[in-house]
Amino acid sequence: MAEFEPDDFETDFWKGAEDRSGWDDLEPGKTLKSHPVTLSKEVIQRYARSIGDLNPLYFDEDYAKGTRFGGLIAPPSVHALFLFACTDHDHFMRTPGTVNMGQNWWLQRPVRPGDTITLEARCLDKLIRKGNIFAIHDNVFRNQHDQVVCSGRGWTMRPY
Amino acid sequence: MPETLAYQDIDVGWQFPGPKVAVSREMIKEFAAASFDHNPLHWDDDYLAETTFAGHKKFDDVIAHGLMTYAIMTRAMTDWLWPDVGEHRRLETRFRQPVYPGDEIEVRGQVVDKRETKQGRWLVCALTVTNQRGETVATGDALAELLA
């Protein structure tokens, strides 16, 4: 499998916005389209730097090898990246104006450089509260050994 | 405290510090690039000026990603759990106020419960993120599984 090419990622979220499901179109429970992504050490390290997390477990191979992890790993919040890297331009998370209200993730095992991550993503529920419209989504992330690395839910406020 | 913390060393009420981070437009931009979340809420002033939510509420400025706050909160756990104390098993967050460029946010943690199950030793931790005005911008429930 080809490694994920960050330079090929479409950063203009307005492009193709008309192809995305709005809140009305979201069908709770239906699995959404996604594709596996193989992450390089560089992409993981750029992510870690962006949050100011310079833990040597992400950067120092010799140090990491000497720990119980046995090698480099990724920060536990790296799944933020998969929500976008594993989905196409028409995925509803890219809708401009999507506001993250909360998130819960269970972290089963670390992601490592070279892992190929598959995302199983759904809108699980949707609701209207205090005049705003919300979607609940659940995500399960698996590695190339079909082991779950992380699972959890998010809660977003959606634009009308 | 011993060099490597064990379950028996930590009591309910134990407090631990988390990161203190000065949030800037540059940091938000870097997080957008690193996480591939380029939602205009995080960079487009014109979009924010014309976008309202229920009750005609608007954001005052571009906002930081909720997941950036989430990521900073995980550091409050991994900074002391990894590599030898335990696993950071879970984090549930609620983003209560927007985080804007110019804000300085600080995470603080406290052990609020400890439990042993058949196979595990667990610490339930409450995380609070405040800004420079003392406002709570996010809260979290975290779970640590201790190795010893």
Side-chain angles (χ1 to χ4, degrees):
Chain A
M1 169 141 344
E3 274 201 351
F4 174 60
E5 289 294 341
D7 292 343
D8 295 343
F9 187 86
E10 177 55 67
T11 60
D12 182 357
F13 281 17
W14 292 112
K15 203 177 273 182
E18 65 282 0
D19 299 337
R20 292 189 198 116
S21 298
W23 184 85
D24 299 87
D25 307 311
L26 288 172
E27 189 178 322
K30 187 179 169 187
T31 301
L32 298 167
K33 202 171 48 169
S34 67
H35 53 264
V37 156
T38 303
L39 278 187
S40 67
K41 184 170 69 179
E42 290 70 27
V43 168
I44 292 171
Q45 291 177 345
R46 181 172 72 160
Y47 177 81
R49 279 193 202 95
S50 80
I51 52 169
D53 194 346
L54 304 180
N55 195 315
L57 287 168
Y58 318 140
F59 293 96
D60 185 338
E61 199 138 16
D62 291 336
Y63 166 82
K65 273 184 185 160
T67 69
R68 66 190 165 90
F69 295 102
L72 292 175
I73 58 171
S77 64
V78 74
H79 306 91
L81 178 164
F82 298 124
L83 293 175
F84 296 92
C86 292
T87 53
D88 293 332
H89 81 285
D90 56 351
H91 192 261
F92 79 114
M93 282 293 284
R94 283 183 211 191
T95 303
T98 298
V99 181
N100 197 331
M101 305 299 291
Q103 199 80 34
N104 56 279
W105 279 339
W106 177 271
L107 304 157
Q108 187 60 42
R109 45 179 62 82
V111 172
R112 296 168 185 276
D115 274 358
T116 299
I117 302 298
T118 303
L119 166 64
E120 186 185 322
R122 295 180 297 183
C123 163
L124 192 63
D125 192 9
K126 51 186 189 176
L127 58 132
I128 299 174
R129 187 173 289 165
K130 293 183 181 171
N132 281 307
I133 56 176
F134 298 92
I136 311 287
H137 10 105
D138 75 329
N139 302 290
V140 179
F141 306 86
R142 290 185 179 81
N143 64 19
Q144 66 277 18
H145 308 298
D146 203 30
Q147 297 168 318
V148 173
V149 289
C150 170
S151 66
R153 276 178 304 174
W155 174 33
T156 53
M157 183 162 73
R158 322 291 310 175
Y160 280 94
Chain B
M1 285 284 178
E3 200 166 301
T4 300
L5 290 170
Y7 181 75
Q8 62 181 24
D9 302 322
I10 300 173
D11 296 321
V12 171
W14 184 64
Q15 295 180 6
F16 50 94
K20 194 171 185 175
V21 175
V23 177
S24 62
R25 274 193 179 236
E26 190 58 32
M27 185 182 184
I28 295 170
K29 197 175 152 191
E30 282 177 17
F31 185 81
S35 69
F36 306 103
D37 183 352
H38 296 276
N39 197 301
L41 286 171
H42 309 303
W43 59 267
D44 189 337
D45 296 285
D46 295 339
Y47 171 71
L48 283 159
E50 67 193 28
T51 302
T52 56
F53 293 87
H56 306 292
K57 279 188 185 160
K58 277 188 176 188
F59 290 116
D60 301 335
D61 197 344
V62 297
I63 59 169
H65 302 68
L67 282 168
M68 188 173 96
T69 303
Y70 188 100
I72 292 166
M73 293 169 81
T74 65
R75 283 177 54 198
M77 300 299 289
T78 56
D79 281 353
W80 62 278
L81 284 168
W82 286 358
D84 296 327
V85 178
E87 297 290 3
H88 175 23
R89 279 288 178 222
R90 185 176 187 273
L91 177 59
E92 175 170 358
T93 56
R94 175 87 195 272
F95 306 119
R96 296 178 181 278
Q97 299 268 0
V99 173
Y100 292 114
D103 280 356
E104 188 169 58
I105 58 171
E106 183 172 15
V107 190
R108 290 190 187 87
Q110 183 172 29
V111 174
V112 293
D113 196 8
K114 53 187 288 190
R115 298 283 156 181
E116 284 185 81
T117 56
K118 280 181 186 166
Q119 295 178 41
R121 291 173 290 268
W122 306 90
L123 300 177
V124 182
C125 306
L127 302 183
T128 307
V129 188
T130 50
N131 63 18
Q132 69 280 12
R133 291 178 294 279
E135 298 161 338
T136 299
V137 295
T139 51
D141 297 314
L143 196 57
E145 182 177 9
L146 266 63
L147 299 180

